[in-house]
Amino acid sequence: MNNSTYCDLAAFSKSYEEIHGRLSFLVCVFGSIANILNICVLTTKEMRWPTNLILTGLAVADLLVMLEYIPFTFHRYLNEEKRKYIDNYSYNWAVFTIFHALFSQVFHFISCCLTVILAIWRYMAITSPHNSRYWCETKKTFYIIIITYMVCPIICSPLFMSLKILAYNQTCDINNKILDKQDLVNFTGVTFKRIIYITTYVSEDYKYISFWIYGVVIKLVPCILLTHLSRRLISVLLETKKRRKMLMNHSLPLNNIREIKPMLNKKFEKDKQADRTSGMLVAVLLLFLITEFPQAILGLLSATKGHQFEKECYIPLGKCQ
């Protein structure tokens, strides 16, 4: 029997939960506005490029996740007093909780996949521009985005079968305020039994299947792909910069300078713009990895380490997500 302690995060989880609701609400509101503006700009006629189509698909997925999270935040975090009463645990809210869990995971997975596709498209544009004009043209890119939106829910389908609604007899007072075991020690009034509805896993097997899908398929696989692509992109950018520097230092015949210099300046300016675009993409990918890798590792460890790790580490940190 394992008596060791994996984590001691109860105090941190409790203190952070007090600000998580307000913080997540502000992030969702600001993020929703930013994504709406992104969609409006990227869908204009002059901005309809393959890369911008992928960015639009990303903005739509992120917007839907944030809009859906706002009512969940209100109910779960911003109305703390109401959580102490039976009415807060209705059957309708249990249904919405399951919808929230599945909806957010599916569209977050879509966002991850589109980020990987964006990195692949950019890598092809740098390393093989002629092939990228054929394979990454606007129509094909649009179909890839549609296929991503269709396939990701299918991959996440085991999550749909892993949750259920459980009816539970809860002790409460005459005002339907929930009484836990500690409250009942000194409680002298009349108590009642009321049915509340909570969400739980269908079984332990389904729970750990969900952890494997969450930790490996939804999180870890995109992170590994993006790590490899980011490394390749950085390598290509450094090599391109080195080649440009060598070309700039290469001496030209005096009689050809006036003819060639304008062409070189135009080419160098175009290459610099491409480098800035690729550099911004690398920065976005690295930020993505910083946020996603810890979640992937946490989900994977929950699947491999068992209930104790889940209770001590995953659940306290899961409240902070």
Side-chain angles (χ1 to χ4, degrees), residues 25-44:
F25 176 75
L26 292 175
V27 169
C28 287
V29 171
F30 175 78
S32 297
I33 295 171
N35 279 305
I36 289 172
L37 293 175
N38 281 337
I39 294 168
C40 292
V41 172
L42 294 172
T43 53
T44 56

Side-chain angles (χ1 to χ4, degrees), residues 36-83:
I36 289 172
L37 293 175
N38 281 337
I39 294 168
C40 292
V41 172
L42 294 172
T43 53
T44 56
K45 188 175 181 180
E46 59 273 15
M47 295 291 287
R48 291 174 188 171
W49 309 329
T51 300
N52 288 345
L53 274 180
I54 301 173
L55 290 173
T56 303
L58 263 169
V60 170
D62 290 340
L63 174 63
L64 291 174
V65 170
M66 290 181 181
L67 288 176
E68 187 275 335
Y69 198 77
I70 290 174
F72 178 81
T73 301
F74 264 111
H75 188 93
R76 176 69 176 80
Y77 298 107
L78 299 182
N79 199 353
E80 187 174 352
E81 187 62 28
K82 191 176 179 181
R83 287 166 55 193

Side-chain angles (χ1 to χ4, degrees), residues 148-159:
T148 301
Y149 270 79
M150 294 173 63
V151 171
C152 286
I154 296 174
I155 296 175
C156 295
S157 59
L159 298 177

Side-chain angles (χ1 to χ4, degrees), residues 4 23 26 34 52 62 68 76 79 154 161 179 183 192 199 203 218 243 255 260 262 273 313:
S4 61
L23 186 61
L26 292 175
N52 288 345
D62 290 340
E68 187 275 335
R76 176 69 176 80
N79 199 353
I154 296 174
M161 299 178 287
L179 302 172
D183 295 328
F192 299 88
T199 57
S203 66
I218 296 179
R243 277 202 314 266
N255 59 341
I260 298 176
Q273 178 62 37
C313 304

